[in-house]
Amino acid sequence: DTGVSQDPRHKITKRGQNVTFRCDPISEHNRLYWYRQTLGQGPEFLTYFQNEAQLEKSRLLSDRFSAERPKGSFSTLEIQRTEQGDSAMYLCASSFGRAVNEQFFGPGTRLTVL
Amino acid sequence: GQQVMQIPQYQHVQEGEDFTTYCNSSTTLSNIQWYKQRPGGHPVFLIQLVKSGEVKKQKRLTFQFGEAKKNSSLHITATQTTDVGTYFCAGPNFGNEKLTFGTGTRLTIIP
């Protein structure tokens, strides 16, 4: 399978716990994006990487959220001290090139905070 | 900040009828992309339009980018049950690397 993969697919956690999600993009893609999607809404941009550099972060991304892409390949998204409002689908997407082109989405990680 | 709205929010059609969704951005876009998300699935890229006034066709789907590069439309002719899903437009502002998604139009088909 050469598509974008995400792990885990589902995560249930208690409020206040930390969680980490992983995204493996398509191997030759230099750009990697994280989005959050809640029921009935479109994906909401969180942050993006070009290779290993994090180039833009949404103002919605509070200090509890951090993302890394250490070697320009896979990426992790960590949420510290989770809140019930963090419950959502977290989508990763990758693309190739300099411009904002076609993005290939992974299956997502559904987070439920109890 | 940039806002991208789509109308209608929901559309129920009889199989075989046509369907259109409209996308309007509060700012000028460098390009417009369309994605389809099936129930329980993830967004899948359909097409990208770059030029002002551009029209592209994919079988029964026709995509249009407005002259001012602030609006777009997707028209499906003779809908089929496989067209069920939510259609999102998305676009970046000029000089911006962030893709802003529209509010989406959810299409359901009555067989």
Side-chain angles (χ1 to χ4, degrees), chain A residues 31 37 42 48 100 102-103, chain B residues 33 35 37 42 45 88 97:
Chain A
R31 292 184 167 214
Q37 187 176 30
Y48 105 95
V100 186
E102 170 184 1
Q103 296 188 9
Chain B
Q33 300 174 26
Y35 290 80
Q37 187 170 21
H42 56 273
F45 176 84
F88 292 101
E97 302 294 334

Side-chain angles (χ1 to χ4, degrees), chain A residues 31 33 35 37 40-45 48 56 59 91 98-108, chain B residues 1 9 30-31 33 35 37 40-45 48 88 92 96-104:
Chain A
R31 292 184 167 214
Y33 300 81
Y35 294 89
Q37 187 176 30
Q41 303 296 315
E44 184 178 46
F45 172 84
Y48 105 95
E56 191 166 347
R59 286 174 291 176
L91 293 164
R98 293 184 179 180
V100 186
N101 292 322
E102 170 184 1
Q103 296 188 9
F104 293 80
F105 281 81
Chain B
Q9 188 176 2
S30 58
N31 69 71
Q33 300 174 26
Y35 290 80
Q37 187 170 21
H42 56 273
V44 175
F45 176 84
Q48 176 176 292
F88 292 101
N96 191 311
E97 302 294 334
K98 181 181 81 169
L99 199 63
T100 300
F101 278 76
T103 48

